[in-house]
Amino acid sequence: MSAATKEIKRLSTKTLINMKAKGEKIAMLTAYDYTFARLVDGAGIDVILVGDSASNVMAGHETTLPITLDQMIYHGASVVRGTSRALVVVDLPFGTYQSDPQGALHSAVRVMKESGAHALKLEGGKEIEESLRCILAAGIPVMGHLGLTPQSIHQFGSFALRAKEEAEAQKLKEDALLLEKLGCFAIVLEKIPAALAEEVAKSVRIPIIGIGAGAGVDGQVLVMQDMLGMNNEFHPKFLRTYANLYEEVHKAVGNYVSDVKSVSFPNAEESY
Ligand code: KIV
């Protein structure tokens, strides 16, 4: 079967909009590499986000700011190679789209061409309107991101709940409407009051994916390493852990170390 006639089972941006219309929730997780992308894709995830949280999770930085466009392309391409069903969305990193719209388009085109991703995610509303217009006009699907936008962490001063005050909540509601009007296919809302997130989800046709935004939205996203319990120092209120890989890996590696030291590994069957 040629590539042109092969049945395409992959989710599209349209699929997600239809899922919202039918009231079917969207499950999204981050992944940054081929091996985990294969696992997550095979387990039935709808959307994989190659988040700039790779800066924290993969590289050990305190913030998402240091990660580069080349590094995001490397992670994005690795994830795309590991998937056949999920829609893969790659974050445009800090400093690659906020200054001038032509620069933003150049960054966006590089990620789409060099990683094979299906869509991009950008943080912000009104303040990045011109960059969004340019990228969307080139036919590149965009997921927005409002609320706690980690690329602005130094402006916020902390990772505390956003949009508690009326003025910020009002701006967030206007930004969500603007993103929909510009043509974004979905919006991530991070760490805002559940009632506000639900109100925004009801006000737009495009899916709202929450993280720390309650259950009244159209889907949820978590950082995969957090939900697998790989970081035993990170326990925010919004996080549910579905495994304790920190303990599992410690136990497995500890057993391996002791088997190597005691020469119980490898045994005769494991030798040539
Ligand atoms: O980079 C990331 O992982 C994200 C999610 C937390 C939404 O933006």
Side-chain angles (χ1 to χ4, degrees):
M1 197 180 269
S2 77
T5 56
K6 202 159 72 183
E7 191 193 345
I8 298 168
K9 291 180 296 206
R10 198 183 282 281
L11 272 73
S12 69
T13 56
K14 293 273 175 301
T15 322
L16 301 185
I17 292 169
N18 290 339
M19 285 167 80
K20 170 164 180 153
K22 288 190 279 179
E24 185 185 341
K25 300 286 182 187
I26 297 162
M28 169 162 142
L29 278 177
T30 65
Y32 317 102
D33 65 34
Y34 170 81
T35 303
F36 267 119
R38 273 196 80 191
L39 278 168
V40 168
D41 189 65
I45 205 75
D46 298 314
V47 185
I48 296 183
L49 172 66
V50 185
D52 58 358
S53 50
S55 179
N56 314 101
V57 177
M58 302 305 283
H61 292 298
E62 268 189 26
T63 72
T64 59
L65 276 64
I67 199 158
T68 66
L69 195 65
D70 284 337
Q71 288 164 342
M72 289 306 298
I73 290 169
Y74 169 80
H75 288 298
S78 307
V79 166
V80 169
R81 283 192 292 270
T83 64
S84 56
R85 179 184 176 271
L87 182 87
V88 178
V89 181
V90 174
D91 266 339
L92 274 194
F94 175 68
T96 66
Y97 60 95
Q98 291 93 343
S99 49
D100 72 298
Q102 285 308 318
L105 177 60
H106 180 72
S107 308
V109 167
R110 274 204 63 202
V111 176
M112 297 299 285
K113 263 187 189 294
E114 297 177 39
S115 75
H118 313 116
L120 302 177
K121 179 163 78 57
L122 277 69
E123 296 183 5
K126 181 83 188 141
E127 52 291 329
I128 59 158
E129 179 175 349
E130 291 315 313
S131 292
L132 286 168
R133 281 187 191 282
C134 240
I135 294 170
L136 288 158
I140 299 173
V142 175
M143 175 181 276
H145 185 157
L146 301 170
L148 176 62
T149 44
Q151 291 178 14
S152 305
I153 190 60
H154 295 306
Q155 193 175 52
F156 296 152
S158 82
F159 287 97
L161 188 71
R162 302 304 311 174
K164 276 185 300 183
E165 311 301 334
E166 185 48 35
E168 193 177 336
Q170 188 53 38
K171 176 175 177 345
L172 187 144
K173 288 190 258 185
E174 286 164 15
D175 278 344
L177 292 176
L178 174 68
L179 294 182
E180 176 179 48
K181 192 169 128 216
L182 291 175
C184 291
F185 71 90
I187 303 172
V188 167
L189 290 183
E190 181 165 350
K191 218 165 174 190
I192 64 166
L196 172 62
E198 184 168 358
E199 185 183 339
V200 172
K202 285 186 175 141
S203 73
V204 292
R205 213 179 27 86
I206 58 175
I208 299 294
I209 314 288
I211 173 165
V217 291
D218 308 302
Q220 300 291 330
V221 55
L222 286 174
V223 169
M224 187 193 50
Q225 279 78 354
D226 295 341
M227 62 79 79
L228 292 178
M230 295 175 86
N231 180 354
N232 70 341
E233 285 160 12
F234 187 63
H235 305 286
K237 180 180 160 83
F238 67 79
L239 177 64
R240 185 180 295 179
T241 48
Y242 288 83
N244 190 341
L245 289 200
Y246 181 87
E247 286 295 329
E248 289 295 317
V249 171
H250 259 248
K251 210 162 57 185
V253 174
N255 288 340
Y256 171 71
V257 169
S258 92
D259 285 356
V260 170
K261 306 263 179 204
S262 66
V263 200
S264 87
F265 173 80
N267 61 24
E269 283 78 51
E270 291 156 340
S271 303
Y272 297 98

